[in-house]
Amino acid sequence: MHRAATLSPSAATHTAQLASRALQRRCIASQPPAPPNRDTNKARHKMCVQSSSVDENGAQSFEGLKGFEDRDASSFACAIVGDLHLEPGPPMDQFEDARRQLVAAVSKPDVAAPRVVQLGDLGGYNDRPGSRDCFQLARGYLSGFGVPTTLVTGNHDLEGDEFETDEENLAAWHEAFKQKHFWAAEVGPATFIGLSTVRFRSNPFSAHEVHIDDEQLDFFRAQLAQASAAGRPVVVFTHAPVLGSGLKVVQTVHVKNRCAWLNHSSRPQEFIELVQQHPNIRLWFSGHFHLSHNYADSISVVGGTAFVLTGVIGECNRDGFRQSRLLKGTAEGYELYTVDHDTGSLRLDLKHGWHDPSPPQPLLPEDEQICDPTAGWLCSKVDCALDGSEPPTAVGPSPSVTWLNAGPSCMLAVQDAIIVEYDTRSMAPIGLVCMDVPDDCSVALVDAKGARVDTVNTDGAAAVAVEIYDSEGGLHQRIKRNQAGGFYKVYQHNKWAAKKKQQAEQAAHRQQAPAAPVPQR
């Protein structure tokens, strides 16, 4: 299905330069360290507010979506800001510098409607993300843009440690930002729509799955129908991307933990089906992966819809680049730029007419790409030691991939030391089957009688298990089909539920423990 490719000498040289730049950055940890105590946090927040260029009254008066809609605007410029993960103190300096860059970009004299949209994940890992203090810091930062601003929630925005339920946490978010978590606004020629995750503690599997509930889906369908009837193009903003979008993903983190796509564990195909039904969805922005815009698949096109990955401002990037997006729109069409926060430069990445039926063509220069785009979906993988022990590296030649039919809508990709399960309807990875396939092992699918299944000339539906054999033909590992009909494993269960279960067990153990004897006088 995809062929391996090698880099040209010039591309290889540039890849090495990009990798060198990445080596100067740390790789974000997959599990954040334990947060400092609350008194320390409050002191740091006070210090940050005092040193910030945003006054306290401005932060308190922030109201998301206020003044955002302006249907009569002849043009707009919208800064799209990815995962913030703000932390008080010196790190705020680079965020304030980036804010100045973005304000300058959207506030040109020829722009009728300057706007900002933030894609969720507001608080730093060491600063109690999802807490009221976190929201206060983010509100102060967003109010400093000084132009109409709105946002959606990300997975980390609902993990506040002071709340027992997702509903309580979301209510605190509403109180802080004075707006609904899902919304629609007409800005010049386009309709902007924002959708938010509403689950963390109540997610059935990974707490970090970004889940859009039925209320929002009904709202989304109604807004799409209304925009379609009016002939208006639609721009969508969500924290995580859509299954089937073709965007770059970190397989050994988000695919493994099944938190890569919107509603990853519950009918994720629904969103790409809506895109197919409504070709006036012209752009769909998402963050979540902390990846830069320098991959061939940081912008992907399905039909006439461009799906756009958005990077990060801070040091929580995975590959050494600090970037945001800038979308400019007029009655005729749009231009999409990358804002590089290290250099302050703009790079045109996409340009298209709103009503042009042809697919938009990304403009990322070849010498800016981290990998060779001819190598297919799996070429631009950046893997790094997520415990911080190793810096990230750009990948050179793509290793070979073996594809195995594993059912009517299931295909397995054997690459490097992992086996990835793909949904063939959306051509997207949905989970990992195995993460430790030794170099000298072979992989086969077997039926109920133990016979090998032809995975090339049949759809593989007869397979009941994946078997991995060592170099001498001995069975190394056997993986049975799961209840969903695929082979992916559930590597990450809901950590909030696990923590609560552990706390309950500890409390029960303390109650059952015999009382200490009273010392005799």
Side-chain angles (χ1 to χ4, degrees):
M1 185 175 293
H2 297 283
R3 63 183 180 85
T6 56
L7 293 170
S8 64
S10 60
T13 300
H14 190 72
T15 296
Q17 293 171 347
L18 293 173
S20 177
R21 179 176 175 182
L23 290 174
Q24 300 172 14
R25 307 285 189 181
R26 63 175 175 83
C27 182
I28 184 173
S30 59
Q31 294 295 333
N37 66 63
R38 297 189 182 191
D39 291 339
T40 302
N41 275 336
K42 290 179 180 178
R44 293 167 70 203
H45 273 279
K46 183 177 180 181
M47 175 189 70
C48 183
V49 170
Q50 290 174 343
S51 64
S52 173
S53 60
V54 182
D55 62 53
E56 195 168 345
N57 291 331
Q60 294 298 327
S61 63
F62 177 83
E63 185 175 339
L65 282 175
K66 184 177 182 180
F68 199 89
E69 185 164 81
D70 185 355
R71 182 172 187 173
D72 298 326
S74 59
S75 63
F76 67 81
C78 182
I80 297 97
V81 180
D83 303 37
L84 284 175
H85 295 292
L86 294 169
E87 297 199 18
M92 287 299 293
D93 292 343
Q94 62 182 195
F95 285 94
E96 293 181 2
D97 288 342
R99 184 174 58 195
R100 283 189 285 269
Q101 293 168 346
L102 294 173
V103 169
V106 301
S107 302
K108 301 296 184 184
D110 60 340
V111 173
R115 298 290 185 267
V116 174
V117 176
Q118 200 280 323
L119 298 177
D121 275 12
L122 301 169
Y125 298 113
N126 296 319
D127 204 53
R128 300 176 59 227
S131 66
R132 288 188 175 89
D133 285 345
C134 156
F135 295 158
Q136 179 183 358
L137 178 63
R139 184 176 61 200
Y141 179 72
L142 294 176
S143 69
F145 280 94
V147 301
T149 299
T150 187
L151 63 163
V152 296
T153 65
N155 48 296
H156 288 287
D157 295 325
L158 294 183
E159 65 169 305
D161 58 8
E162 64 203 273
F163 308 107
E164 288 299 317
T165 68
D166 294 333
E167 291 76 14
E168 291 174 6
N169 209 154
L170 188 59
W173 187 95
H174 289 152
E175 180 182 359
F177 299 105
K178 300 180 175 65
Q179 68 160 85
K180 290 195 71 172
H181 56 284
F182 60 98
W183 46 267
E186 295 181 341
V187 183
T191 296
F192 288 13
I193 300 176
L195 304 173
S196 286
T197 186
V198 295
R199 295 197 318 204
F200 183 84
R201 301 156 189 80
S202 57
N203 269 326
F205 299 108
S206 172
H208 295 289
E209 179 184 334
V210 177
H211 182 78
I212 309 300
D213 60 4
D214 289 342
E215 179 185 13
Q216 293 183 79
L217 280 168
D218 290 342
F219 170 83
F220 190 34
R221 293 188 190 96
Q223 292 296 324
L224 290 176
Q226 182 177 324
S228 296
R232 292 180 63 83
V234 171
V235 182
V236 185
F237 304 90
T238 56
H239 182 67
V242 170
L243 180 80
S245 62
L247 281 177
K248 175 171 177 52
V249 62
V250 185
Q251 295 173 358
T252 52
V253 179
H254 302 101
V255 174
K256 170 195 170 188
N257 295 328
R258 290 180 53 76
C259 60
W261 316 113
L262 293 178
N263 296 15
H264 196 132
S265 64
S266 55
R267 257 195 68 73
Q269 298 88 356
E270 193 159 10
F271 297 97
I272 199 67
E273 291 169 359
L274 286 171
V275 170
Q276 293 164 350
Q277 295 164 15
H278 296 276
N280 58 320
I281 300 176
R282 305 303 283 166
L283 292 153
W284 194 310
F285 290 90
S286 60
H288 193 41
F289 298 150
H290 299 207
L291 294 170
S292 75
H293 309 168
N294 288 38
Y295 301 95
D297 42 4
S298 62
I299 298 176
S300 59
V301 177
V302 178
T305 304
F307 293 92
V308 184
L309 184 151
T310 306
V312 299
I313 289 175
E315 296 293 344
C316 63
N317 60 79
R318 295 184 187 275
D319 51 20
F321 294 89
R322 299 172 49 241
Q323 297 170 331
S324 297
R325 295 287 188 183
L326 172 67
L327 178 66
K328 294 183 177 181
T330 64
E332 290 73 33
Y334 65 85
E335 295 178 350
L336 175 66
Y337 296 83
T338 283
V339 182
D340 188 311
H341 294 301
D342 285 325
T343 65
S345 62
L346 295 181
R347 183 188 70 207
L348 180 63
D349 289 342
L350 197 64
K351 182 177 182 179
H352 205 62
W354 291 120
H355 303 290
D356 184 344
S358 65
Q361 300 296 320
L363 304 173
L364 177 62
E366 183 178 353
D367 64 354
E368 294 273 350
Q369 293 180 15
I370 288 181
C371 82
D372 182 358
T374 64
W377 303 323
L378 301 177
C379 77
S380 57
K381 183 177 57 141
V382 167
D383 282 328
C384 56
L386 293 177
D387 59 2
S389 62
E390 243 179 80
T393 57
V395 175
S398 177
S400 61
V401 182
T402 300
W403 294 92
L404 308 173
N405 289 325
S409 61
C410 178
M411 183 172 280
L412 306 183
V414 184
Q415 180 187 21
D416 292 339
I418 64 175
I419 303 176
V420 185
E421 180 172 333
Y422 277 78
D423 170 60
T424 58
R425 295 164 295 182
S426 57
M427 305 307 292
I430 60 169
L432 291 194
V433 179
C434 181
M435 292 189 63
D436 56 353
V437 181
D439 291 339
D440 58 352
C441 282
S442 60
V443 178
L445 271 63
V446 297
D447 62 20
K449 296 180 180 180
R452 293 199 180 196
V453 173
D454 184 346
T455 59
V456 177
N457 300 308
T458 73
D459 67 2
V464 299
V466 176
E467 292 190 344
I468 303 171
Y469 307 98
D470 60 30
S471 58
E472 297 180 354
L475 183 62
H476 172 74
Q477 189 174 355
R478 190 173 196 267
I479 302 140
K480 297 180 180 179
R481 275 198 193 273
N482 57 37
Q483 292 182 342
F487 292 96
Y488 63 81
K489 292 182 181 179
V490 176
Y491 285 91
Q492 186 179 79
H493 294 273
N494 190 302
K495 64 181 183 181
W496 178 272
K499 182 179 76 171
K500 286 298 179 181
K501 180 180 179 182
Q502 182 182 36
Q503 290 174 347
E505 290 173 348
Q506 291 173 344
H509 180 73
R510 286 193 297 269
Q511 290 179 352
Q512 294 173 1
V518 178
Q520 299 292 326
R521 293 192 175 186

